[in-house]
Amino acid sequence: MPPQMKLVAITLDCPDPPVLAAFYQQATGLEPHPKSDADFAGLNGEHGLFIGFQRVDDYLAPSWPDPIVPQQLHICFKVEDDLDVAEARLLELGAGKPDHQPHGDHARVLTDPAGHPFCISTR
């Protein structure tokens, strides 16, 4: 039997870890990790999942959907609100919205302040 693995951490490269951690903290309500600093910030998530944000010099934001700079990571979030309400809130927090929206009415693709694409869906 293959070993079972439990996902415990996801880390995103970015130019400014505290800024990106603040965006995701406001968007998700997750608690900031007490040892976060300018080079590495984190959020403590549900069921022990940790989301980290790591400073990378000369960071290049993904150019999704153009593959010139790959998306690097894609996170999907379920939202409790109507998609329009959730999208408006995230845009106010600093998210971007690419013109390319491949999921029709059931999901939206947004980008975080460092350019990483992510989806929101009510499903």
Side-chain angles (χ1 to χ4, degrees), residues 3-4 11 13 17 24 33 35 39 42 46 49 51 55-58 60 65-66 71 76 83 87 103 105 120-121 123:
Q4 292 190 334
T11 300
D13 291 348
Y24 279 104
H33 189 277
K35 293 186 179 180
D39 290 319
E46 295 179 24
L49 180 63
I51 303 174
R55 180 179 305 281
V56 171
D57 294 331
D58 301 322
L60 291 176
D66 186 332
Q71 68 178 336
C76 295
L83 276 179
E87 177 186 312
H103 303 298
D105 293 335
I120 57 171
S121 173
R123 297 183 192 177

Side-chain angles (χ1 to χ4, degrees), residues 48-105:
L49 180 63
F50 177 83
I51 303 174
F53 309 95
Q54 168 177 278
R55 180 179 305 281
V56 171
D57 294 331
D58 301 322
Y59 171 79
L60 291 176
S63 56
W64 186 90
D66 186 332
I68 298 274
V69 179
Q71 68 178 336
Q72 303 164 17
L73 177 73
H74 185 93
I75 302 174
C76 295
F77 295 93
K78 180 179 179 187
V79 296
E80 301 299 324
D81 296 327
D82 173 88
L83 276 179
D84 292 333
V85 171
E87 177 186 312
R89 180 173 174 272
L90 290 163
L91 292 173
E92 286 178 11
L93 293 175
K97 183 177 178 185
D99 291 335
H100 181 62
Q101 294 293 318
H103 303 298
D105 293 335

